[in-house]
């Protein structure tokens, strides 16, 4: 059975550091590109990043932005696992009433 977890970090850098510390990243040896993922067959990561509030103001005729939406606090990552949740990520758990994005 899979379980979904919602995580909020202060910044992208903190998220990447903590995900790396728990083994959820690897570096491509050819390109040095860092990729974030769960170990094979254990679950999946959904890096959302910044989430914006639904408070932007737009011109109804043109769709032009009058006032851009404000950003919610933090850098957001969703995690779905069929294995044990990494203890070191416990401080980043949040419990949204209406998640911005969920796994299908």
């Amino acid at each position: 059975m899979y379980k979904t977890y919602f995580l909020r970090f202060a910044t992208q850098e903190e998220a990447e550091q903590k995900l790396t510390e728990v083994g959820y990243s690897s570096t491509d040896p050819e390109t040095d590109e860092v990729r974030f993922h769960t170990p094979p067959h254990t679950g999946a990561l959904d890096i959302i990043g910044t989430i914006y509030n639904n408070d932007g103001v737009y011109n109804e005729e043109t769709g032009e932005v009058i006032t851009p939406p404000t950003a919610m606090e933090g850098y957001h990552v969703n995690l779905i696992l069929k294995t044990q949740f990494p203890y070191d990520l416990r401080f980043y758990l949040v419990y949204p009433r209406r998640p911005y994005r969920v796994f299908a």
Side-chain angles (χ1 to χ4, degrees):
M1 183 73 157
Y2 286 91
K3 182 167 180 175
T4 300
Y5 301 92
F6 303 96
L7 307 171
R8 181 177 61 211
F9 301 89
T11 64
Q12 178 179 352
E13 292 76 20
E14 179 182 51
E16 291 175 355
Q17 176 188 352
K18 297 301 177 183
L19 292 172
T20 298
E21 287 175 8
V22 298
Y24 287 178
S25 70
S26 61
T27 303
D28 184 318
E30 293 181 15
T31 65
D32 285 336
E33 179 183 353
V34 177
R35 296 191 176 122
F36 294 93
H37 53 81
T38 58
H41 312 293
T42 63
L45 277 173
D46 180 18
I47 308 281
I48 297 171
T50 303
I51 297 175
Y52 291 89
N53 293 302
N54 191 19
D55 59 355
V57 178
Y58 305 89
N59 180 309
E60 291 183 24
E61 293 178 15
T62 66
E64 182 181 338
V65 177
I66 297 169
T67 306
T70 57
M72 290 184 184
E73 181 182 337
Y75 187 85
H76 304 265
V77 176
N78 291 350
L79 175 62
I80 189 168
L81 293 172
K82 68 177 179 179
T83 59
Q84 186 172 357
F85 180 78
Y87 185 73
D88 291 342
L89 295 180
R90 71 191 181 285
F91 298 115
Y92 305 98
L93 283 168
V94 292
Y95 303 92
R97 284 189 297 235
R98 289 182 295 149
Y100 177 76
R101 196 158 68 197
V102 297
F103 290 95

